[in-house]
Amino acid sequence: MSLVLWEIWSYLQILVVWAAFRKFAHRDIKGGILAGAIIGVCVEFITEPFWQYHFKITVYKDIPLSVIFAWGVMFSLVIFLSEKLYCWFLKKSAIVPYDKRVLLFDVLAGVMIGLPFETVGIKTGIWEYRYDLLHWNWGFIPFFHMPYEALVGYALLMVVAPTFVRYWQGVFAEAAHD
């Protein structure tokens, strides 16, 4: 698929995931997408020199606007999967407030969702790593052929980002209605 089609899809997938959650999960993830986009802005701005994007519509240097919102989509998916795993493994009907075990499920869900997303982005040429700056040398994950450092980076991010999104998603959902 050409980069133009991937760029178009990068915007459409935000709407498709939002609509699918509304229809099938009966969950409005608009607030989660917006809260997650804040994390996306932070991650992309801080790490901008380490990746090279290849989309046309950008907000700062080569950072695509759609990638900012894709972070929000990803965090919404992570939270959903994390909560499902938490409830299934711990035989609960919902997350117990302040239960620290949710962090483990956030990391697990984050890696399960983030690593395939990262792999697709790299393999399709949407972006590339700047290995000359990163100096990643731990080797590559079998099957995904992704650097182990990418896996560790996702795991570390998932310790804090889903908690932020969970906390703020309601506020951003209300703001989106005003």
Side-chain angles (χ1 to χ4, degrees), residues 35-77:
I38 291 172
I39 300 290
V41 166
C42 294
V43 167
E44 293 300 330
F45 185 81
I46 291 166
T47 64
E48 189 279 329
F50 298 119
W51 343 107
Q52 176 98 31
Y53 285 103
H54 301 291
F55 280 170
K56 299 291 184 213
I57 302 171
T58 61
V59 292
Y60 174 73
K61 296 189 178 183
D62 69 339
I63 300 170
L65 177 61
S66 62
V67 168
I68 301 299
F69 289 102
W71 280 103
V73 168
M74 185 187 72
F75 289 128
S76 295
L77 292 168

Side-chain angles (χ1 to χ4, degrees), residues 108-169:
L108 180 61
V111 169
M112 289 171 67
I113 291 171
L115 192 62
F117 277 16
E118 189 79 9
T119 303
V120 168
I122 291 291
K123 301 297 183 200
T124 59
I126 294 170
W127 68 83
E128 57 190 281
Y129 295 138
R130 294 284 316 273
Y131 285 107
D132 58 320
L133 299 175
L134 289 167
H135 302 288
W136 285 350
N137 58 7
W138 291 354
F140 292 90
I141 302 165
F143 178 72
F144 290 100
H145 197 67
M146 294 292 293
Y148 281 107
E149 290 90 340
L151 174 69
V152 172
Y154 267 101
L156 292 171
L157 182 60
M158 295 308 156
V159 172
V160 294
T163 300
F164 174 89
V165 174
R166 251 189 218 97
Y167 182 83
W168 288 101
Q169 66 187 346

